[in-house]
Amino acid sequence: MSLAPKKVRLGDLLVEAGAISESQLLAALQEQKVSGRKLGRVLVESAILTEEDMLHCLSSQLGVPFMGLRQYPFDVELVHRLEESYARRYRAIALSEKAGTVTVGMADPLDIFAYDELCRILRKPVDVVIVRESELLDTLDTVYRKTREIETFAEQLESEVGDDLFDLQGMQKNSQAEEAPVVRMLQSIFEDAVQVRASDIHIEPDENLLRIRQRVDGVLQEQVMKEHRISAPLVLRLKLMAGLNISEKRLPQDGRFSLLVKGRKLDVRMSTMPVEYGESAVLRILDQSTGITNLEDSGMSPRMLREFRQMIHMPYGLILVTGPTGSGKTTTLYGALSELNQAGQKIITAEDPVEYKISRINQVQINSGIGLTFANVLRASLRQDPDIILVGEIRDVETAEISLRAAMTGHLVLSTLHTNDAISSAMRLMDMGVEPFLAASSLRAIVAQRLMRKLCDECAVVHTPNAVEVSWMERYLDKEVVEHAQLRRPVGCHNCNQSGYRGRLGVFEMLMIKEDVADALRRGDSSLFIERAKQQPGFKLLIESALEHAVRGATAISEVLRIAQELDQPEMAPEVDPQGLIETDRDLPLDAAAPVSGGPERNDAGSSEVRSLTMADFELEEKRNV
């Protein structure tokens, strides 16, 4: 039904429908004169009525359908027929086309001027449906990505780059020209990265193409362009911004620069590397406008958060945060520092690199090239009368011993290790050559962590686990918990860029070094240490913490399985197919009859005496599914 907006006033319409009173309308009109905002926004922000009530009232009074956008399957080609500038100006988005008529969602269906302009721009009759303005603005950010703009600038730049060698001198002269295609292309690349919340940008030249990849929620998303010759000017421009040597292409280089994108200050760490077809560049994006994540938002359980806070407020001792690169260790430590950062505490950090600048904290950038190593900075820090020291990473026995002795002599020391889990971290110190008595006397807690993707709340659906998934979950969780699990799985929508996930949350495993555990460590008895650590009340494995997120619907079982496989223990989980469903576990040994380390197995009666899953169980389940 093709309907144009009727020429009526919103206030009269709402009063006629009984949604607001005459006195409320007069008060809102008075506020509108002062603030200049639209009447609908004044009514909603004044809590006179909700946006939902107002839109449903308009829909009923005007005979115009109301539609939600969160899970709408957009046709990207149709959406882009209405340019982004017009879509934002008129608060509208093209939804569908049928029989020569375009259905357009509008936040203000009474805007006759906008309706006429949309008909003119689309050159077809327009059907109007009402949409929420908040949903519309979020949608515009996701459907109008910069990929086409980047391709356009790539084509322009390709036409300017000849077959001869690139003119470095000319590029430097034109580097300040705002309209240069290379500058506009880089601007679009960064704007697109901010729009999709990317943490890294990869620029990778190949033989006949250029790949630009963005890491979003830990997973790379790829855009391929045939204009492969533009990689040289792109990397050159970035090297100029980072203050790197533009004539050196044979050696890797590291640099850093800041820029303002869409009103947000970004710190960018740049790394270049010579590859077969040019130079590869990786840009780590640090959004300074978002600030430091609080510990409450880290994903720790309430009990673990309470115990961790007790540890970081102790006057001395060493607290380790462990995990592989990109597991969120620095974020956790910065969250701890933000709580400890008080006028009465002197805090010194040794970092490589300094990611976030924090007021009142003395942050030192490690520079091994001039001898400014972790060990040297740590020695100097102890002469600066600190209360708290953060060591970015313990890489060698010298740094480890200085950190442990500092923790023993009245300082709180925070640091990181690259280990798989909390229990193996203490053993890693022993492997480095640290004396067992020194580790036992200084260590207070070890936190291991991972980052897992969080399900998109707009498109996730209920997931019913199969028998294999249930059996696997019951290895680590009580049967009753598994039976009442609120499992969900990803689907994909425009809000999450069709990935099914949006954002990440932390998964933690914390080992408190109490007297019995410290005694085993002091003896250097690894077997006894592991046994007592696992028997510690409240201790949970990473896989158990991850499953707790899954049973409450925050993430999918497939994400938990990915975490299990990252732990380098293939017997802990069955194999996962690309859709996140469990297949047969080909990594399991054929005689897998021993319980999985760290979690008792339970039979149907809740006993922990029954056998483990075997290869035959998974094969049987696969046959049943077929």
Side-chain angles (χ1 to χ4, degrees), residues 1-3 78-79 81-82 93-105 115 118-119 121-129:
M1 179 173 59
S2 181
L3 290 174
L78 177 62
V79 168
R81 281 167 55 182
L82 180 63
I93 186 169
L95 299 174
S96 63
E97 182 178 12
K98 187 176 181 180
T101 300
V102 179
T103 300
V104 175
Y115 174 83
L118 292 172
C119 291
I121 296 167
L122 295 172
R123 299 180 180 179
K124 288 187 178 180
V126 170
D127 275 349
V128 175
V129 298

Side-chain angles (χ1 to χ4, degrees), residues 467-469 471-472 475 570-575 582-596 601 610-624:
V468 178
E469 291 172 323
S471 298
W472 182 69
R475 293 183 180 187
E571 74 277 5
M572 294 183 70
E575 192 173 308
I582 295 182
E583 293 182 344
T584 57
D585 191 354
R586 289 187 290 271
D587 288 331
L588 276 174
L590 294 177
D591 58 347
V596 174
E601 297 184 338
V610 350
R611 67 180 178 86
S612 299
L613 295 175
T614 65
M615 181 70 171
D617 294 317
F618 294 114
E619 291 177 345
L620 177 60
E621 182 60 30
E622 184 178 42
K623 291 177 182 177
R624 288 174 178 168

